Amino acid sequence: MGDCIFCKIVDKEIPSNVVYEDDRILCFHDLEPKAPVHVLIIPKKHIASMDDVAEEDQALLGYLMAKVKDIAAQLGLENGYRLVNNCGEDGFQTVQHLHFHLLGKRKLTWPPG
């Protein structure tokens, strides 16, 4: 999708530190981690944000959500973790490609920001 940095990561035009990858999703380390473990989980299909999810994306997003526990286990997040999606300007979405932050390995406080 043109200028989308995450699409370029999916296409291997930009390198990333991959944690998990299959034909539908990609998980890689965040370049500016906010916790000892901070990875991004993205669908390989370009979807700009949660506001752009279509009915046809239900299976893909269900699959992504079901993989979170496996990725968390792979990363040793046995004591818990946080999964975050930022949507839109007020939600502080900085990349217009649907993505989920998986954070852990420290006590996460509430409210987050």
Side-chain angles (χ1 to χ4, degrees):
M1 197 71 180
D3 296 352
C4 177
I5 190 167
F6 288 173
C7 287
K8 290 179 180 182
I9 290 172
V10 166
D11 292 339
K12 309 297 187 217
E13 295 174 30
I14 296 175
S16 64
N17 186 357
V18 174
V19 171
Y20 176 83
E21 180 175 13
D22 62 30
D23 62 327
R24 294 183 265 183
I25 66 171
L26 178 66
C27 175
F28 54 93
H29 287 275
D30 194 297
L31 290 177
E32 296 180 18
K34 306 301 182 213
V37 170
H38 184 172
V39 296
L40 302 174
I41 306 171
I42 68 170
K44 287 186 170 183
K45 174 185 178 185
H46 182 86
I47 303 169
S49 75
M50 286 300 294
D51 285 342
D52 297 292
V53 172
E55 216 172 298
E56 68 196 37
D57 300 319
Q58 288 182 19
L60 172 59
L61 294 186
Y63 176 80
L64 186 151
M65 288 294 136
K67 282 293 188 183
V68 169
K69 69 180 184 321
D70 299 332
I71 294 168
Q74 177 183 338
L75 294 168
L77 301 178
E78 65 280 336
N79 201 40
Y81 55 87
R82 181 170 293 160
L83 185 66
V84 177
N85 171 259
N86 300 326
C87 184
E89 186 178 340
D90 284 352
F92 198 64
Q93 182 179 3
T94 58
V95 176
Q96 300 307 305
H97 185 120
L98 181 65
H99 60 284
F100 298 86
H101 298 259
L102 178 63
L103 302 113
K105 284 290 184 187
R106 75 167 169 83
K107 186 77 168 171
L108 299 166
T109 59
W110 195 262

